[in-house]
Amino acid sequence: MNRKIPLRTRVALYGLLCVLAIPFVFPTWWMVTSSFKPISDIFSYPPKLFPTNPTVSAYRDVFDGRPFVQQYVNSIYIAVLVTVGTMIVSSLAGYAFARIRFRGQNALFLVVLVGLLIPSEVTIVPLFQMFNDLGLINTHWPLILVPIFGAPSVMATFIMRQFFISLPNELEEAARIDGIGYFGTFWRIALPLARPALGAVGIFTFLQSWNLYLEPVVYLSSPEKFTLPQALTQYVDSYGGAMWNVQLAAASLTAVPVLIVFVIAQKQFIEGLAHTGLK
């Protein structure tokens, strides 16, 4: 029998949760509100939670003389391509590791997991040399191909494998009796049931690609090809000092797609993480 929580207890719990949420919410609140302040008010003491003289001049300066719209489009389409590509590759690889039995399967999966232990800084020099030999430097191809086929997709493969392991074998056995092969079973039965895991993979991958900084700095040199994390560093004055209100305005605009993706797929994200531990 479910016991109803007393009102006083619920109020206390909600109050405690609100207090615990302050360290996570305050930086975002400060970023957004400070983007509407003049630079002189951003670091005023004591700090102000609300702008006393709100202005949108910083948002106008974000687009003044800089290809911010193009850089925004660059980040969006790169993140979308990387997310879709990673979901395809990781779902196929995860299903193969979960359902197809072959010699050396566990050893190969262990080798794949080792990719999680290799920092991207270790491989970026040989990757730069490889893409330079292919003539792909100062293009978006390295930012698309490396996350899809490299170490960043290892976690996605692990999540998909754990999810497919949790599916009942009886579903696929019935399909094989009807003469459907591995790929048909994957496409018609396993993949439609994997939406929660795909949601988790999609959010992880989109966020990682959206926030990528080191790789764009290494591979890109033209401002019109920059992604947003790289573009945010370009908002400086003539003396090289940071234009804080403009940077915060650009950062606030940068956070919008991530919030939209999480709001849309948060249910699948939570369910996907819950299923990764099941067997």
Side-chain angles (χ1 to χ4, degrees):
M1 180 181 296
N2 294 329
R3 298 179 57 185
K4 186 176 181 180
I5 301 177
L7 178 60
R8 183 178 300 178
T9 304
R10 281 185 290 169
V11 172
L13 288 175
Y14 290 146
L16 177 62
L17 290 175
C18 290
V19 172
L20 294 176
I22 291 176
F24 303 96
V25 175
F26 180 75
T28 303
W29 175 266
W30 183 83
M31 176 185 70
V32 175
T33 56
S34 297
S35 66
F36 293 98
K37 299 177 183 178
I39 294 181
S40 57
D41 292 347
I42 292 178
F43 298 105
S44 62
Y45 186 83
K48 301 174 183 177
L49 293 179
F50 299 92
T52 54
N53 299 305
T55 175
V56 295
S57 60
Y59 286 89
R60 290 195 298 265
D61 294 340
V62 169
F63 303 93
D64 185 20
R66 295 177 176 87
F68 187 76
V69 174
Q70 181 61 49
Q71 294 162 349
Y72 214 101
V73 172
N74 293 341
S75 286
I76 289 178
Y77 96 82
I78 290 174
V80 169
L81 289 179
V82 169
T83 302
V84 173
T86 301
M87 291 168 68
I88 294 173
V89 173
S90 64
S91 60
L92 289 170
Y95 184 78
F97 281 119
R99 287 291 187 258
I100 301 177
R101 301 296 177 221
F102 55 89
R103 182 178 298 178
Q105 178 187 27
N106 294 330
L108 181 59
F109 186 66
L110 181 61
V111 171
V112 172
L113 290 181
V114 170
L116 292 174
L117 306 177
I118 303 176
S120 59
E121 295 81 2
V122 174
T123 59
I124 197 166
V125 173
L127 285 173
F128 177 87
Q129 186 62 48
M130 181 184 71
F131 285 115
N132 186 48
D133 294 339
L134 295 174
L136 297 179
I137 296 301
N138 200 29
T139 70
H140 293 148
W141 283 110
L143 307 181
I144 297 172
L145 296 177
V146 173
I148 293 177
F149 298 103
S153 67
V154 174
M155 178 58 72
T157 300
F158 174 77
I159 292 175
M160 297 305 301
R161 174 186 179 270
Q162 294 302 106
F163 183 87
F164 287 131
I165 287 177
S166 69
L167 293 179
N169 289 325
E170 291 77 10
L171 295 174
E172 300 179 16
E173 290 174 357
R176 294 194 184 96
I177 292 174
D178 293 336
I180 301 177
Y182 278 114
F183 184 78
T185 304
F186 163 78
W187 181 256
R188 299 182 185 182
I189 298 177
L191 190 61
L193 296 174
R195 284 182 297 177
L198 289 173
V201 168
I203 291 181
F204 272 129
T205 307
F206 188 91
L207 184 61
Q208 183 181 38
S209 177
W210 188 261
N211 292 331
L212 207 62
Y213 177 73
L214 176 62
E215 285 77 1
V217 170
V218 172
Y219 295 123
L220 303 178
S221 58
S222 301
E224 65 274 6
K225 295 182 180 179
F226 285 177
T227 57
L228 289 177
Q230 187 179 6
L232 293 178
T233 63
Q234 306 301 308
Y235 291 101
V236 295
D237 56 26
S238 56
Y239 298 99
M243 302 166 61
W244 290 109
N245 56 342
V246 182
Q247 285 190 359
L248 292 172
S252 300
L253 294 174
T254 300
V256 172
V258 177
L259 295 176
I260 293 175
V261 170
F262 184 79
V263 168
I264 293 175
Q266 61 178 332
K267 182 179 179 181
Q268 287 76 14
F269 174 73
I270 296 172
E271 291 181 1
L273 291 182
H275 279 286
T276 53
L278 299 178
K279 183 175 181 180

